[in-house]
Amino acid sequence: MDIVVCVKRVPETAEADIVIDETGKDIDTRGLVFDINEWDNYAVEEAVLLKEKYGGSVTVVSMGPQESNETLRRALAMGADEAIRLTDPAFSGSDGYAIARILGEAIRPLAYDLILTGVQAEDDGYGQVGPTLAEMLGIGHAAVVNMIERIDGGRARIHRELEGGLEEVLDLELPAVLTIQSGINEPRYVSIMGIRRVAKKEIRVLGLADLALKEDETGEQGSKSVVERVFLPPAGEGAQMLEGSVESLAESVVSILKEKGGLA
Amino acid sequence: MEDIFVLAEHRQGELRDITFEMLTKGKAMAEETGTSLAAVLLGHGVGKMAEQLKDKANRVILVEDPRLETYNSEAYERVLAELLEGENPRLLLIGHTAFGMDLAPSLATRIRVPIATDCIDVTIRDGEVRATRQVYGGKLNVEVRLKPAPQSVITIRPASFTVEEYSLTGEIVTVASPMEEEIVSKRFVEYVEAAAGEVDITQANILVSVGRGIKDQDNIPMVKELADALGAALSCSRPVVDKKWLPKERQVGTSGKTVKPKVYIAIGISGAFQHVAGMKGSGTIIAINKDPKAPIFSVAHYGIVGDLFKIVPALKEKVKEVFA
Ligand SMILES: Cc1cc2nc3c(=O)[nH]c(=O)nc-3n(C[C@H](O)[C@H](O)[C@H](O)COP(=O)(O)OP(=O)(O)OC[C@H]3O[C@@H](n4cnc5c(N)ncnc54)[C@H](O)[C@@H]3O)c2cc1C
């Protein structure tokens, strides 16, 4: 079982203040903390678990700047065998389609039975790259996978998570792309020591010229969609904000509970 | 013909809400652009659903095939690719659901048309398709423009549009399935329902719901105590379940439960749309979050910006004092 996992380094923004940058088309990432995309972390773990069960190799691929090496090293520390970073000035401005194409050209010459990606990225949230990649490589796919039951005879028995707690069980021919849903496993802890241990491992860096891609097939030119602008969501109706000391906040909530919750 | 197409989503014999949400939007777009609206229904033995869709579109394009009985991306893609080539609609709307997330991107790639996923709005202006997406967990909106193309695909986030009552004089047009051979690369096996847990959070009057802001499993009892003091049930967002801090039956959201308690207290929950979809029907929503820009504050009725580790204990004391 040779498995390729696509991973992305993303800023953590759930608790951060988002500032729009001077281009008006993205955010200012200075001062933000970056980490592996949440869903990709589960994908790497699943790949390593599959390797432990069925043998084979795990290769992690990331498109991004030098800092993406951190994410690749983290995956190597989790048990991946090889890492590839894709970078080129021509890649910037790529949408989900162009990203899939770049990843696809890097993966095409590799040996793979399975390609895993996260369901979506925490930053741009396309949820598009995995299935697009599959189509480009001419192989099957399944999105939102929350269980890989077994793999045998060149087929995989997998579960897709649907809405409301329902799952769909599928039998799928390999090679295929699976987009991995959070909660499929418990990603192992990665220690600083673990990352240090893989510090010397080579990360292969590939650019446009290495990928049999033309410049106009990547970046904004190779994209199917163009970002026009980003803006803060309109405030909407908005909540009535409660203010004051912790004590008075507690009192306010209690009176809301009395009134709206029917508590006496 | 420059139609707006909506791909009907159905499962286990039922049309899903997203279908009607997209049709409402599709009708408005068709009116604005002077075109017509078609609902595309693929399945097997789905005549009843076609009838249900009949007055919601100008046409219901129905393709029946035993191989479309359950959803299979391979079968759907083949049928849709053929259909779209023949019909040449301007725009195809698909739900950004487990169904659409699986189908839409590869379909668009197969038929070589632009796609924008997880959109909360879409317009056709000066012949160009523009869409609004949310990124960074709902903290930022992005306006995207699709490159000029005869057709485009947009996936629509559930609950982006409110279903409206209207009546069109639709006709059902049956199209023969173009599929010839069996699909062997991918086979549907079965559906599995989530096992029912001990607690049914959908029945609670008051829910105290906790998110990733709780930081550690050891802090869960603090929220549980508050719930107990209120006679409320404890629920949570997805990361709390993923980390196994609480069982799946407590999860609120698209892939969890839909709840409608009298009061929903969201503690350390950012307000991602998959969570909000499960709780926005609550009578009164109170959100506690240290980030004043957390998207949860746009659905909450009351908001407290602050550290849950200070607010929850104080609230618990007060509740005990008043309701003991
Ligand atoms: C297909 C699919 C299905 C999904 N289904 C669901 C679903 O059913 N339910 C669901 O919930 N999610 C679901 N998700 C996940 C969803 O996208 C979000 O990742 C998730 O809801 C985030 O949970 P959260 O708000 O608890 O965590 P985060 O987004 O990490 O937010 C944590 C919040 O806590 C606040 N906080 C941190 N510390 C404190 C403190 N000390 N005091 C006060 N506030 C604090 C932060 O400001 C932040 O707003 C799904 C995703 C996908 C792709």
Side-chain angles (χ1 to χ4, degrees):
Chain A
M1 279 287 293
D2 293 316
I3 307 171
V4 176
V5 191
C6 303
V7 297
K8 185 176 186 185
R9 176 177 175 268
V10 296
E12 286 179 10
T13 50
E15 299 178 26
D17 201 11
I18 287 193
V19 180
I20 296 171
D21 72 8
E22 57 285 349
T23 69
K25 295 186 177 190
D26 210 340
I27 64 165
D28 187 343
T29 53
R30 278 173 299 184
L32 294 179
V33 177
F34 283 75
D35 203 348
I36 185 169
N37 176 43
E38 182 179 0
W39 284 273
D40 300 350
N41 195 28
Y42 288 92
V44 174
E45 179 64 33
E46 196 62 21
V48 173
L49 291 173
L50 289 170
K51 180 181 86 165
E52 286 166 1
K53 197 163 162 192
Y54 299 106
S57 70
V58 174
T59 302
V60 281
V61 184
S62 187
M63 182 187 121
Q66 176 121 38
E67 291 82 2
S68 298
N69 285 355
E70 290 163 19
T71 307
L72 291 167
R73 289 246 147 71
R74 192 180 184 286
L76 289 169
M78 285 172 81
D81 305 282
E82 283 180 53
I84 300 173
R85 183 165 65 85
L86 308 171
T87 189
D88 200 289
F91 296 169
S92 78
S94 295
D95 70 347
Y97 177 84
I99 294 168
R101 178 180 265 170
I102 295 162
L103 291 169
E105 288 315 309
I107 294 169
R108 203 183 287 278
L110 305 178
Y112 56 83
D113 301 292
L114 210 52
I115 300 170
L116 306 183
T117 72
V119 161
Q120 62 180 33
E122 282 171 75
D123 52 1
D124 54 36
Y126 286 123
Q128 168 186 3
V129 170
T132 302
L133 179 64
E135 190 63 36
M136 287 171 171
L137 292 172
I139 60 177
H141 75 273
V144 203
V145 171
N146 68 349
M147 192 202 282
I148 300 177
E149 215 179 283
R150 61 165 189 269
I151 294 176
D152 55 41
R155 298 185 78 92
R157 170 70 57 109
I158 56 132
H159 292 220
R160 286 186 64 223
E161 180 186 273
L162 308 175
E163 286 79 15
L166 192 68
E167 286 176 12
E168 175 183 287
V169 185
L170 291 180
D171 176 67
L172 189 70
E173 194 174 85
L174 300 185
V177 177
L178 307 181
T179 80
I180 300 297
Q181 173 65 306
S182 61
I184 187 173
N185 52 41
E186 281 176 74
R188 65 199 66 192
Y189 175 72
V190 181
S191 67
I192 307 230
M193 271 304 292
I195 291 179
R196 250 185 234 149
R197 228 173 284 133
V198 296
K200 293 232 163 57
K201 270 205 155 162
E202 192 210 341
I203 292 174
R204 266 212 293 157
V205 179
L206 303 177
L208 186 68
D210 306 298
L211 290 183
L213 274 174
K214 292 194 221 70
E215 183 150 1
D216 64 1
E217 292 176 319
T218 70
E220 224 173 88
Q221 273 186 293
S223 292
K224 300 271 191 188
S225 64
V226 183
V227 172
E228 293 280 282
R229 64 182 183 118
V230 301
F231 55 103
L232 295 172
E237 285 169 21
Q240 181 185 328
M241 299 313 265
L242 308 175
E243 271 152 40
S245 64
V246 168
E247 171 76 3
S248 75
L249 286 171
E251 263 168 34
S252 308
V253 174
V254 163
S255 58
I256 296 166
L257 286 165
K258 277 186 186 163
E259 191 192 330
K260 314 277 184 175
L263 292 184
Chain B
M1 213 182 286
E2 293 268 287
D3 285 342
I4 310 286
F5 275 27
V6 167
L7 181 60
E9 179 168 337
H10 58 94
R11 184 174 295 147
Q12 296 177 304
E14 303 263 339
L15 284 163
R16 301 175 54 78
D17 294 348
I18 180 74
T19 305
F20 298 98
E21 293 164 15
M22 292 189 293
L23 284 167
T24 299
K25 177 64 186 176
K27 175 177 173 274
M29 290 185 84
E31 273 169 8
E32 271 164 36
T33 53
T35 57
S36 79
L37 173 66
V40 178
L41 177 64
L42 312 191
H44 180 59
V46 291
K48 207 182 88 208
M49 285 185 226
E51 289 296 328
Q52 262 177 287
L53 292 170
K54 211 172 149 187
D55 65 348
K56 297 292 163 222
N58 302 108
R59 278 192 299 161
V60 179
I61 301 174
L62 172 66
V63 185
E64 296 226 48
D65 188 313
R67 286 161 289 198
L68 295 169
E69 170 134 35
T70 49
Y71 165 69
N72 181 327
S73 62
E74 197 47 49
Y76 263 66
E77 279 183 35
R78 285 195 208 177
V79 173
L80 286 168
E82 192 103 349
L83 191 70
L84 296 171
E85 200 190 338
E87 296 278 342
N88 201 22
R90 180 73 189 86
L91 184 67
L92 171 65
L93 303 181
I94 302 179
H96 191 75
T97 55
F99 164 80
M101 288 172 85
D102 191 67
L103 173 68
S106 51
L107 173 70
T109 308
R110 177 179 287 213
I111 61 174
R112 299 168 192 278
V113 308
I115 180 173
T117 54
D118 194 10
C119 300
I120 58 168
D121 202 4
V122 52
T123 55
I124 300 178
R125 214 188 308 143
D126 307 326
E128 283 183 333
V129 177
R130 285 164 190 266
T132 307
R133 312 180 58 243
Q134 281 199 331
V135 293
Y136 296 108
K139 283 189 143 180
L140 197 67
N141 284 6
V142 182
E143 190 185 313
V144 295
R145 178 173 53 83
L146 296 188
K147 293 268 184 77
Q151 295 178 4
S152 297
V153 176
I154 295 282
T155 74
I156 299 286
R157 175 183 290 192
S160 298
F161 305 109
T162 313
V163 176
E164 280 163 25
E165 280 303 319
Y166 63 85
S167 184
L168 296 174
T169 46
E171 50 165 343
I172 298 174
V173 183
T174 305
V175 174
S177 168
M179 258 192 302
E180 275 152 21
E181 70 275 40
E182 285 301 314
I183 307 274
V184 290
S185 56
K186 197 176 201 179
R187 273 199 300 263
F188 170 84
V189 179
E190 60 176 339
Y191 288 117
V192 222
E193 297 272 356
E198 299 159 24
V199 187
D200 186 359
I201 56 170
T202 65
Q203 296 305 312
N205 258 330
I206 301 180
L207 280 174
V208 172
S209 204
V210 60
R212 178 151 40 196
I214 196 70
K215 294 284 188 303
D216 198 286
Q217 179 160 31
D218 296 344
N219 300 322
I220 299 274
M222 177 180 93
V223 191
K224 175 82 168 66
E225 279 173 41
L226 171 62
D228 287 346
L230 282 168
L234 184 63
S235 60
C236 63
S237 68
R238 176 164 194 136
V240 174
V241 173
D242 287 343
K243 289 175 196 292
K244 307 219 158 37
W245 295 347
L246 284 173
K248 179 84 184 173
E249 77 219 41
R250 307 265 182 172
Q251 182 186 315
V252 172
T254 47
S255 52
K257 298 257 167 71
T258 301
V259 297
K260 287 192 171 85
K262 278 190 187 161
V263 179
Y264 188 86
I265 310 182
I267 302 172
I269 295 176
S270 63
F273 90 89
Q274 294 97 343
H275 185 82
V276 168
M279 49 67 85
K280 66 177 189 315
S282 305
T284 300
I285 299 166
I286 306 171
I288 303 172
N289 197 304
K290 68 175 184 190
D291 175 7
K293 298 211 176 110
I296 191 79
F297 289 127
S298 62
V299 285
H301 302 99
Y302 297 95
I304 296 175
V305 175
D307 183 353
L308 71 90
F309 294 102
K310 297 206 178 79
I311 295 158
V312 173
L315 181 56
K316 185 190 72 190
E317 287 316 313
K318 194 87 214 162
V319 165
K320 279 189 178 159
E321 187 186 306
V322 178
F323 300 124

